[in-house]
Amino acid sequence: MTRSKLRESIYKLLFRVEFYPPEALEEQAELFFESDEWPANSKKSEKEYVRNKFLAVTAKIPEIDAAVDQNSKNWTTARMSRSDLTIIRLGIYEILYDDDIPTSVAINEAVELAKKYGQDSSGGFVNGVLAKFA
């Protein structure tokens, strides 16, 4: 799978954070990997990459949300759409904590996810929020 597809899978898993308590996230990850959303022909290393990054991002959500609330003028995480917030969390994690991903790539990939899963204005909104962390 491409890095973009892996990132999209991480986004889909992270979106579940909004609807399930923390103790249910491991089970949600397993359900995701058993679903039609996860390719049956994927490699074990891809599954491990997605799971590990999902867990790493979820562990940093309180810090990420606090940073977003501090740096987003007139927008708090409570006011953001769940889809945009999930994409922003992933993007900020990649910018601040993932040294393997260049900042420009993290922002570009987040904007592409926002265009696919968000509203018409989501791409620009996500880009604006993430630019403050670049």
Side-chain angles (χ1 to χ4, degrees):
M1 288 175 23
T2 65
R3 283 275 184 141
S4 293
K5 286 292 184 189
L6 292 171
R7 186 176 284 105
E8 186 173 353
S9 293
I10 297 164
Y11 161 78
K12 289 177 181 179
L13 267 173
L14 282 173
F15 192 72
R16 295 175 185 219
V17 167
E18 295 302 315
F19 304 100
Y20 296 95
E23 59 273 5
L25 294 179
E26 276 289 335
E27 179 183 7
Q28 286 302 308
E30 282 308 312
L31 291 171
F32 174 78
F33 291 124
E34 294 169 4
S35 74
D36 292 339
E37 291 184 274
W38 184 252
N41 63 344
S42 64
K43 298 175 186 170
K44 183 180 179 183
S45 62
E46 293 168 332
K47 181 178 177 181
E48 288 173 6
Y49 175 82
V50 169
R51 176 190 298 279
N52 290 340
K53 191 155 188 179
F54 164 68
L55 294 174
V57 175
T58 56
K60 294 286 187 183
I61 284 177
E63 292 172 41
I64 292 169
D65 286 1
V68 170
D69 287 341
Q70 286 178 341
N71 291 295
S72 299
K73 189 174 185 179
N74 299 323
W75 282 96
T76 63
T77 54
R79 288 190 60 213
M80 294 178 186
S81 77
R82 300 296 96 192
S83 177
D84 290 352
L85 177 58
T86 300
I87 294 165
I88 288 167
R89 286 171 171 164
L90 178 56
I92 290 173
Y93 177 85
E94 290 184 340
I95 291 168
L96 298 180
Y97 304 106
D98 194 334
D99 295 335
D100 294 336
I101 299 175
T103 298
S104 60
V105 172
I107 293 173
N108 184 60
E109 290 288 327
V111 169
E112 291 304 313
L113 282 173
K115 289 178 183 176
K116 183 172 183 177
Y117 291 101
Q119 301 171 3
D120 290 341
S121 61
S122 292
F125 177 71
V126 167
N127 186 51
V129 172
L130 294 181
K132 292 183 180 192
F133 291 90

